[in-house]
Amino acid sequence: FARGLLNRLFTRIYLPEDTEALAGDALLSSLPEDRRRTLIARREPNGDLRFDIRLQGEDETVFLSFPGA
């Protein structure tokens, strides 16, 4: 939940290293290529993973819909 949002949001995070699994994932494959990257974490130079969630605007994170949730 976030201020101004009346419903909770659902998304996924994918790890960047397993390119074969990413290529075969049904959800990622159903998205336009430029939107897929909003669900894939980035590896920082120090090895940490970074996953930013953007609620609106450029590079808005893909959110999922679960009827009744």
Side-chain angles (χ1 to χ4, degrees):
F1 291 106
R3 185 179 59 196
L5 294 174
L6 301 177
N7 295 311
R8 56 192 162 168
L9 300 172
F10 299 92
T11 192
R12 286 186 179 183
I13 182 174
Y14 291 88
L15 302 179
E17 285 83 12
D18 194 349
T19 55
E20 186 175 320
L22 293 174
D25 186 84
L27 173 65
L28 284 178
S29 297
S30 72
L31 298 171
E33 193 168 337
D34 64 323
R35 301 287 290 136
R36 293 176 196 165
R37 63 187 162 90
T38 70
L39 297 179
I40 302 171
R42 291 187 323 257
R43 184 70 65 185
E44 297 287 310
N46 68 356
D48 290 348
L49 287 169
R50 181 179 182 129
F51 183 69
D52 294 324
I53 296 176
R54 296 193 167 106
L55 298 178
Q56 62 184 7
E58 188 175 335
D59 292 331
E60 178 181 337
T61 301
V62 171
F63 295 104
L64 309 175
S65 174
F66 294 102

